[in-house]
Every structure is written in C-alpha cells, then in structure tokens.
Amino acid sequence: MEDEIKTVPEQETTVEVVDIQFRQGQKVYYFDPAGFACKAGDHVIIDTARGPEYGICAGGNHFIPEKDVVAPLRSVLRLATAEDEKTVARNRAEEKRAYEICLQKIADHGLDMQLVSAEYAFDGSKILFFFTADERVDFRELVKNLASIFHTRIELRQIGVRDKAKMVGGLGICGRPFCCASFLDDFQPVSIKMAKTQNLSLNPTKISGTCGRLMCCLKYEQEAYEDLLRNAPKAESFVDTPDGRGTVVEVDLLRQRVKVRMEDAPETITVFSNEDIAILRSGKAKKNDPPIPADLAPISGSGKRARKLDKEEEPVLLEPIRFRYSTEKIVEEPEEAIPEELTETEENREPGEGKSRSRRRRRGKSEGKKPDQPKEQPRKEPEEAPAEAAESGEENPKKPRRRNHHRRYRKPKQQNES
C-alpha cells in the first residue's frame, strides 16, 4: 500500500515593519525598522522620496504579510537625537512665518486661492504650500516672489476641501474631532443613496460635514442597513398578518418591524414584527401584476386557502376510438358468393369481355335490377358461326357487341357469288 503524500500548506512570508506618521493624525505608512527596536511615540528620522524626514512612530515592530507591503519599502535611518529635535522646532517656527508672508503675497497678486498650510522639509531644502481653489490658478509670479524672499525651493500644491479638513482638524456636528483628522487613513466614497437607505433627512446642512461634503460616517453603517433591507418588506407591499391582510405604510429597519394599514379597516394602523407577517406582493402594485386571490391568507387563514365547494363529479364519457385510414384490413371480410348463373367459363368469354360484364353486374345491382328479368345468353364469336350460313349469303343475325373505349366494329360487306 502506497504511502499517502501529505501536502503541507506553504507558510505565508512575512515582513517586519514599523508604523510611522509624518504629522500627528496623518496617514500611517510602513517602514523597515532596519534593526532598530521602535515603540509607539518614538521620534525617528526616515528615508523618503524627497530626502530625510522627521516622523513619529505610531506602532512598534510587528510582522505583516509581504503582499500588504507597497514596494519599495523604505527604512528607518536612526532614532531622533536632541539636535534633530531642535531642527524640527526651528522648522515649525519658520512655517508660521512663511504662512503669513504667503498670505500677504496672495492678496497682493489678487489670486482666488485659499492657503491651508506651509511645511518645511527636515533639511530646509524646500517649502511646500498647500492651497484650495475652485478653478485653476496661475501662480507663477507668486512663486518667483516667494523664492526671492526665502531663497529656497518653493512648491505649491492644490488639494481638495476634504484634505483641508483633515490637515486643519476641528469638531464635527456630533461634538467629536473630525474622523478624517483622528483615525481615517483614506477617504471612502460617500453618495446621497446612503442617506436614502438609512432613512435620513436629505437636508444638506444635516448630512454634510464642515468641509461641505457628505459626512464620512454615512459609510460606517451602510453595510448593516443593506443587510437589514434584504429581510424587510418594501413600502406599499401587500402582506398578511395575524389580524388580517393589509398594506405596509412604514418600515422601521433598526427595530425590524412595520406599520400595516388593515384591508378590512383602512383607518386602523397596526405594528407587526417582520417575523409575524407574510409578503403577498412586494412593493407597490403595477398594472401588469396579476390580482391577489381573495382567499390567499397564509397566516390569518391558518396557513390554508379557503376551500371551495366541491362540485358533483360528472360521469366521464369515453369517446369512441377512431382509427386512421389504412389500406390494410384488420379483419378479412368474407367474399360475396356469386350465383352460378352469373358465372361464365373462360371458353365462352370473349377477350376483354370480363371487365365489361362485371361492370354491368355492378351497375345492375345499383339500379335495383330484378332477378326475374331474362338474362342475356352468351354470344358466340362470329368466327365460330356455321359455314352454311356464310355460303347461303345470309347475314349473321348476331351483331358483335360494342366494346367500351374502342372504335365501333363494322363488318365488311360480303359480295354475293354469281
């Protein structure tokens, strides 16, 4: 017996990473610890695409699947020193000064843009200005003026209103800090359909955030509402309840119950749980929908339809069986006996005379010919006539019979011998 080969699942390869944020409350990125033991709250210097940057450790060393890593995975250069902390503090002070100067220059040039923030690179090689605008802005002259003031590289980047709310922060209508500024890494798409599904007011001031867009929290419970909708009847549905049949006028998704207007008493509205009703028609009735039977009541009718009165059973009459036309006979019919008088020997029958005689017999039977009538004697052929009659010159009294479908037979005239 062959040994069974046991397949061992391949172990998923993992990578050691640390969670780093560039600013407090911003998106978290994965970095290679490069042998450093980091813990939450540590300040580190990391390698980025724009050079060395200062970051805050949001999570210590841990392992994640290799497929979740976005290549290339950059590494941590070192833990921040006291000198690095001084450089960062100096940059923060310069950012405030750069922000005020940029605001003044924007007003001088009359540009339609709103400045959000200014950020210094860790090594001071670049200043990055973030702004929002409704349309495209030509800020080439503004960049030249700022470069002449700060004597470094200037970069202006346009962002959206949701990104502005994430960078600036604040309190929402719920009284808590913005979700985007506290724990959301990426913005999820939010649509007005979510507000309709959750039965919320469609007033823009009540479902919009400080940024002017739909609130991100509408996305949190959307999947739960969609799951509840699958098990709940639609509005205007026709249902059967323990108290009778009726129409759904309101649906409470969270409590899993409905309000039903009773069919027998339209002024009565009763509340039922979704488990206590049976849907007879889903949604509002349409023109092409078939009518609902009056006796269809699975719940109020004890789960059965009203039984109709039994009609008297009528006797079943079997129709006669009819066979199709066929040349073959199932039962052979006996042949009719032909009287001896009508029979005729082949010797006394002329060639071709049999058919004509048989036709004549059939014709006579159909005409109701009486059997008492004298029957014709069989005629003899003219060739067998006696020779004496021919010599004496007497004509043959018996004329040849005219045959059907043939020319009339004429006997040639005979010359008298002198």
Side-chain angles (χ1 to χ4, degrees), residues 25-27 162-163 165-167 169 177-185 187 216 220:
Q26 291 187 356
K27 185 177 179 180
R162 300 179 76 181
D163 297 301
K166 184 174 182 178
M167 296 179 66
F178 292 161
C179 298
C180 55
S182 55
F183 61 89
L184 283 183
D185 294 335
F187 292 107
C216 300
Y220 300 162

Side-chain angles (χ1 to χ4, degrees), residues 65 82 166 212 224 288 334 382 388:
K166 184 174 182 178
N288 299 331
E388 297 178 358

Side-chain angles (χ1 to χ4, degrees), residues 325-366:
Y325 174 80
S326 177
T327 55
E328 299 180 357
K329 296 181 179 179
I330 299 176
V331 180
E332 295 183 358
E333 298 179 358
E335 296 182 358
E336 296 181 359
I338 302 174
E340 295 180 358
E341 298 177 356
L342 300 178
T343 58
E344 184 176 302
T345 58
E346 295 181 358
E347 296 178 358
N348 298 332
R349 187 181 302 165
E350 295 182 4
E353 192 178 359
K355 295 180 180 180
S356 62
R357 287 181 180 274
S358 61
R359 292 173 184 167
R360 194 184 305 157
R361 284 195 212 101
R362 288 196 295 269
R363 193 182 305 113
K365 290 180 181 179
S366 63

Side-chain angles (χ1 to χ4, degrees), residues 173-236:
I173 58 175
C174 58
R176 295 179 60 86
F178 292 161
C179 298
C180 55
S182 55
F183 61 89
L184 283 183
D185 294 335
D186 297 320
F187 292 107
Q188 299 294 332
V190 184
S191 63
I192 195 66
K193 182 181 177 181
M194 297 180 182
K196 295 180 180 178
T197 303
Q198 300 174 27
N199 213 8
L200 299 175
S201 174
L202 300 182
N203 189 352
T205 59
K206 294 184 177 181
I207 59 177
S208 299
T210 309
C211 60
R213 300 291 187 266
L214 293 175
M215 293 186 296
C216 300
C217 55
L218 295 178
K219 181 69 175 177
Y220 300 162
E221 299 177 355
Q222 180 63 17
E223 294 181 0
Y225 275 92
E226 291 177 354
D227 186 54
L228 294 174
L229 278 173
R230 296 189 189 99
N231 303 323
K234 298 180 181 178
E236 301 296 331

Side-chain angles (χ1 to χ4, degrees), residues 67-86:
K67 62 181 181 180
D68 296 340
V69 177
V70 179
L73 183 63
R74 299 188 178 271
S75 59
V76 176
L77 299 179
R78 65 180 182 274
L79 296 176
T81 60
E83 189 66 27
D84 295 333
E85 296 292 344
K86 292 180 181 180

